[in-house]
Amino acid sequence: MTATHPDRVPEGIAQEVEAPVAEQATVGPLTGDPAIVGVPTFVVGSIMLGLALINYNPAVGAALPIIIMATGIGQLVAAVWAAAIGQSAVATIFGIFSGFWLSYAALVAGLLHGWWGLTTATTVRAVAAFLISWLVVIVALTLGSLRLPSAFTAIFALIDLALILDLAGTINGSSGLIKAAGIVVFCFAAIGVYVFAGSLSVATGGKPFPLGRPVITLPDRRTAGDADAGRSPCALVSGQPARPGCRRSRGPGRRGRVPRLPGRRTPRSAAGRSGPAATCSASRASAR
């Protein structure tokens, strides 16, 4: 019979104890592209809303199943996913539209069932107040997106236009303006399909689709070909701008000690260094 040390744990038990700890450390969506969920669910709700605005289906409540179960919940899932991987801008965008779609569904359902205690005379003002409130928020979002690829700015600007047309049609009782709003909804839904196709291409190992240059370009931002290659739409939204500074040297001084410049002493800060940092330090010293 073999003696067992009291402080030691048998190998099989130790592995069973450590395994749950390793599994707990990897719980949660730590990587991925939230647009792969957020964009298509946004598109399907937009298409359903556009069909309702052009009066393809007079029953307004018919749009609620898709808007609640697909679009509202899908935007919320994408927002939580983006927040979990540190993409604050993406989480903000999907969080805003999650609130929009869910509140729109609550408004329509409440009006159809008389939950909010509104009369016929006050219903128009209630819908107008809803549209004005969201118009202010999404206009602010549009202005904040001017540093993003222009595809996102175009989507937000078309949403602003659709809200303005719908608001004007609601206040004036114009079915023509409301139908025009529905056509604009189809326009930004089409751009959403393009963005989703690019995100799906990256997720399946393909190339990203070009999303256009930002309206406002930061001075330290790299060119679109260098900065955007192989990146998903969400990575373009939340990516940090390129850090300014000198480029990496690929010359003979990249490795080993920096050669002394003629007539100049090698700066102490660069002495003993190797690689790009030393090359940049020596270059700045010689330019003084």
Side-chain angles (χ1 to χ4, degrees), residues 42 97 150-160 188 191-192 195:
F42 174 85
F97 285 111
S150 56
F152 298 101
T153 305
I155 290 176
F156 301 149
L158 288 173
I159 294 174
D160 297 333
F188 67 72
I191 301 177
V195 174

PDB file of all heavy atoms in Angstrom, residues 42 97 150-160 188 191-192 195:
ATOM      1  N   PHE A  42     -31.216  45.542 -37.186  1.00  0.00           N
ATOM      2  CA  PHE A  42     -31.634  46.920 -37.477  1.00  0.00           C
ATOM      3  C   PHE A  42     -32.288  47.007 -38.856  1.00  0.00           C
ATOM      4  O   PHE A  42     -33.303  47.685 -39.039  1.00  0.00           O
ATOM      5  CB  PHE A  42     -30.418  47.843 -37.404  1.00  0.00           C
ATOM      6  CG  PHE A  42     -30.700  49.258 -37.814  1.00  0.00           C
ATOM      7  CD1 PHE A  42     -31.205  50.168 -36.904  1.00  0.00           C
ATOM      8  CD2 PHE A  42     -30.442  49.678 -39.106  1.00  0.00           C
ATOM      9  CE1 PHE A  42     -31.469  51.476 -37.280  1.00  0.00           C
ATOM     10  CE2 PHE A  42     -30.703  50.986 -39.491  1.00  0.00           C
ATOM     11  CZ  PHE A  42     -31.219  51.893 -38.574  1.00  0.00           C
ATOM     12  N   PHE A  97     -30.256  52.913 -30.502  1.00  0.00           N
ATOM     13  CA  PHE A  97     -31.297  52.385 -31.381  1.00  0.00           C
ATOM     14  C   PHE A  97     -32.106  51.278 -30.712  1.00  0.00           C
ATOM     15  O   PHE A  97     -33.275  51.061 -31.080  1.00  0.00           O
ATOM     16  CB  PHE A  97     -30.679  51.897 -32.689  1.00  0.00           C
ATOM     17  CG  PHE A  97     -30.296  53.021 -33.597  1.00  0.00           C
ATOM     18  CD1 PHE A  97     -28.970  53.313 -33.850  1.00  0.00           C
ATOM     19  CD2 PHE A  97     -31.260  53.833 -34.181  1.00  0.00           C
ATOM     20  CE1 PHE A  97     -28.609  54.360 -34.662  1.00  0.00           C
ATOM     21  CE2 PHE A  97     -30.918  54.874 -35.003  1.00  0.00           C
ATOM     22  CZ  PHE A  97     -29.582  55.152 -35.243  1.00  0.00           C
ATOM     23  N   SER A 150     -17.926  57.311 -43.755  1.00  0.00           N
ATOM     24  CA  SER A 150     -19.098  58.071 -44.205  1.00  0.00           C
ATOM     25  C   SER A 150     -20.344  57.202 -44.358  1.00  0.00           C
ATOM     26  O   SER A 150     -21.458  57.740 -44.400  1.00  0.00           O
ATOM     27  CB  SER A 150     -18.779  58.753 -45.535  1.00  0.00           C
ATOM     28  OG  SER A 150     -18.355  57.806 -46.504  1.00  0.00           O
ATOM     29  N   ALA A 151     -20.215  55.885 -44.446  1.00  0.00           N
ATOM     30  CA  ALA A 151     -21.406  55.040 -44.538  1.00  0.00           C
ATOM     31  C   ALA A 151     -22.267  55.178 -43.296  1.00  0.00           C
ATOM     32  O   ALA A 151     -23.502  55.231 -43.381  1.00  0.00           O
ATOM     33  CB  ALA A 151     -21.000  53.583 -44.747  1.00  0.00           C
ATOM     34  N   PHE A 152     -21.644  55.255 -42.113  1.00  0.00           N
ATOM     35  CA  PHE A 152     -22.406  55.412 -40.875  1.00  0.00           C
ATOM     36  C   PHE A 152     -23.056  56.796 -40.805  1.00  0.00           C
ATOM     37  O   PHE A 152     -24.213  56.931 -40.407  1.00  0.00           O
ATOM     38  CB  PHE A 152     -21.489  55.196 -39.672  1.00  0.00           C
ATOM     39  CG  PHE A 152     -20.891  53.829 -39.605  1.00  0.00           C
ATOM     40  CD1 PHE A 152     -19.581  53.607 -40.010  1.00  0.00           C
ATOM     41  CD2 PHE A 152     -21.626  52.752 -39.161  1.00  0.00           C
ATOM     42  CE1 PHE A 152     -19.026  52.347 -39.968  1.00  0.00           C
ATOM     43  CE2 PHE A 152     -21.086  51.476 -39.114  1.00  0.00           C
ATOM     44  CZ  PHE A 152     -19.777  51.278 -39.520  1.00  0.00           C
ATOM     45  N   THR A 153     -22.315  57.821 -41.209  1.00  0.00           N
ATOM     46  CA  THR A 153     -22.887  59.169 -41.213  1.00  0.00           C
ATOM     47  C   THR A 153     -24.072  59.253 -42.165  1.00  0.00           C
ATOM     48  O   THR A 153     -25.075  59.915 -41.866  1.00  0.00           O
ATOM     49  CB  THR A 153     -21.812  60.190 -41.605  1.00  0.00           C
ATOM     50  OG1 THR A 153     -20.678  60.054 -40.734  1.00  0.00           O
ATOM     51  CG2 THR A 153     -22.339  61.602 -41.506  1.00  0.00           C
ATOM     52  N   ALA A 154     -23.978  58.581 -43.314  1.00  0.00           N
ATOM     53  CA  ALA A 154     -25.088  58.593 -44.274  1.00  0.00           C
ATOM     54  C   ALA A 154     -26.329  57.922 -43.684  1.00  0.00           C
ATOM     55  O   ALA A 154     -27.455  58.411 -43.854  1.00  0.00           O
ATOM     56  CB  ALA A 154     -24.663  57.893 -45.566  1.00  0.00           C
ATOM     57  N   ILE A 155     -26.138  56.815 -42.976  1.00  0.00           N
ATOM     58  CA  ILE A 155     -27.281  56.134 -42.350  1.00  0.00           C
ATOM     59  C   ILE A 155     -27.954  57.062 -41.347  1.00  0.00           C
ATOM     60  O   ILE A 155     -29.184  57.228 -41.341  1.00  0.00           O
ATOM     61  CB  ILE A 155     -26.821  54.831 -41.676  1.00  0.00           C
ATOM     62  CG1 ILE A 155     -26.423  53.801 -42.725  1.00  0.00           C
ATOM     63  CG2 ILE A 155     -27.935  54.262 -40.789  1.00  0.00           C
ATOM     64  CD1 ILE A 155     -25.855  52.519 -42.145  1.00  0.00           C
ATOM     65  N   PHE A 156     -27.158  57.693 -40.473  1.00  0.00           N
ATOM     66  CA  PHE A 156     -27.734  58.545 -39.440  1.00  0.00           C
ATOM     67  C   PHE A 156     -28.404  59.777 -40.048  1.00  0.00           C
ATOM     68  O   PHE A 156     -29.463  60.216 -39.579  1.00  0.00           O
ATOM     69  CB  PHE A 156     -26.651  58.972 -38.451  1.00  0.00           C
ATOM     70  CG  PHE A 156     -25.968  57.821 -37.769  1.00  0.00           C
ATOM     71  CD1 PHE A 156     -24.636  57.908 -37.372  1.00  0.00           C
ATOM     72  CD2 PHE A 156     -26.635  56.634 -37.540  1.00  0.00           C
ATOM     73  CE1 PHE A 156     -24.006  56.846 -36.759  1.00  0.00           C
ATOM     74  CE2 PHE A 156     -26.012  55.560 -36.922  1.00  0.00           C
ATOM     75  CZ  PHE A 156     -24.689  55.675 -36.532  1.00  0.00           C
ATOM     76  N   ALA A 157     -27.808  60.344 -41.100  1.00  0.00           N
ATOM     77  CA  ALA A 157     -28.412  61.513 -41.739  1.00  0.00           C
ATOM     78  C   ALA A 157     -29.747  61.157 -42.395  1.00  0.00           C
ATOM     79  O   ALA A 157     -30.718  61.939 -42.329  1.00  0.00           O
ATOM     80  CB  ALA A 157     -27.444  62.090 -42.776  1.00  0.00           C
ATOM     81  N   LEU A 158     -29.831  59.992 -43.010  1.00  0.00           N
ATOM     82  CA  LEU A 158     -31.102  59.563 -43.610  1.00  0.00           C
ATOM     83  C   LEU A 158     -32.144  59.264 -42.535  1.00  0.00           C
ATOM     84  O   LEU A 158     -33.348  59.505 -42.752  1.00  0.00           O
ATOM     85  CB  LEU A 158     -30.866  58.331 -44.483  1.00  0.00           C
ATOM     86  CG  LEU A 158     -30.115  58.586 -45.798  1.00  0.00           C
ATOM     87  CD1 LEU A 158     -29.800  57.277 -46.499  1.00  0.00           C
ATOM     88  CD2 LEU A 158     -30.929  59.499 -46.720  1.00  0.00           C
ATOM     89  N   ILE A 159     -31.715  58.759 -41.388  1.00  0.00           N
ATOM     90  CA  ILE A 159     -32.664  58.566 -40.285  1.00  0.00           C
ATOM     91  C   ILE A 159     -33.213  59.912 -39.828  1.00  0.00           C
ATOM     92  O   ILE A 159     -34.416  60.047 -39.562  1.00  0.00           O
ATOM     93  CB  ILE A 159     -31.984  57.819 -39.120  1.00  0.00           C
ATOM     94  CG1 ILE A 159     -31.634  56.392 -39.537  1.00  0.00           C
ATOM     95  CG2 ILE A 159     -32.887  57.782 -37.891  1.00  0.00           C
ATOM     96  CD1 ILE A 159     -30.826  55.630 -38.513  1.00  0.00           C
ATOM     97  N   ASP A 160     -32.345  60.928 -39.744  1.00  0.00           N
ATOM     98  CA  ASP A 160     -32.809  62.276 -39.397  1.00  0.00           C
ATOM     99  C   ASP A 160     -33.849  62.765 -40.397  1.00  0.00           C
ATOM    100  O   ASP A 160     -34.892  63.316 -40.007  1.00  0.00           O
ATOM    101  CB  ASP A 160     -31.622  63.256 -39.375  1.00  0.00           C
ATOM    102  CG  ASP A 160     -30.604  62.903 -38.305  1.00  0.00           C
ATOM    103  OD1 ASP A 160     -30.998  62.284 -37.298  1.00  0.00           O
ATOM    104  OD2 ASP A 160     -29.425  63.254 -38.481  1.00  0.00           O
ATOM    105  N   PHE A 188     -31.884  54.085 -46.089  1.00  0.00           N
ATOM    106  CA  PHE A 188     -30.854  53.779 -45.098  1.00  0.00           C
ATOM    107  C   PHE A 188     -30.828  52.287 -44.751  1.00  0.00           C
ATOM    108  O   PHE A 188     -29.806  51.772 -44.312  1.00  0.00           O
ATOM    109  CB  PHE A 188     -30.961  54.656 -43.846  1.00  0.00           C
ATOM    110  CG  PHE A 188     -32.161  54.476 -42.972  1.00  0.00           C
ATOM    111  CD1 PHE A 188     -32.333  53.348 -42.181  1.00  0.00           C
ATOM    112  CD2 PHE A 188     -33.117  55.482 -42.876  1.00  0.00           C
ATOM    113  CE1 PHE A 188     -33.419  53.206 -41.340  1.00  0.00           C
ATOM    114  CE2 PHE A 188     -34.208  55.352 -42.036  1.00  0.00           C
ATOM    115  CZ  PHE A 188     -34.363  54.209 -41.270  1.00  0.00           C
ATOM    116  N   ILE A 191     -28.305  50.862 -47.212  1.00  0.00           N
ATOM    117  CA  ILE A 191     -26.918  51.060 -46.770  1.00  0.00           C
ATOM    118  C   ILE A 191     -26.587  50.087 -45.645  1.00  0.00           C
ATOM    119  O   ILE A 191     -25.472  49.564 -45.556  1.00  0.00           O
ATOM    120  CB  ILE A 191     -26.704  52.520 -46.325  1.00  0.00           C
ATOM    121  CG1 ILE A 191     -27.015  53.481 -47.466  1.00  0.00           C
ATOM    122  CG2 ILE A 191     -25.269  52.728 -45.851  1.00  0.00           C
ATOM    123  CD1 ILE A 191     -26.897  54.946 -47.088  1.00  0.00           C
ATOM    124  N   GLY A 192     -27.563  49.836 -44.778  1.00  0.00           N
ATOM    125  CA  GLY A 192     -27.344  48.867 -43.716  1.00  0.00           C
ATOM    126  C   GLY A 192     -27.061  47.468 -44.249  1.00  0.00           C
ATOM    127  O   GLY A 192     -26.233  46.739 -43.687  1.00  0.00           O
ATOM    128  N   VAL A 195     -23.415  47.473 -45.234  1.00  0.00           N
ATOM    129  CA  VAL A 195     -22.530  47.389 -44.069  1.00  0.00           C
ATOM    130  C   VAL A 195     -22.541  45.971 -43.502  1.00  0.00           C
ATOM    131  O   VAL A 195     -21.485  45.432 -43.113  1.00  0.00           O
ATOM    132  CB  VAL A 195     -22.957  48.418 -43.007  1.00  0.00           C
ATOM    133  CG1 VAL A 195     -22.144  48.239 -41.715  1.00  0.00           C
ATOM    134  CG2 VAL A 195     -22.782  49.837 -43.535  1.00  0.00           C
TER     135      VAL A 195
END
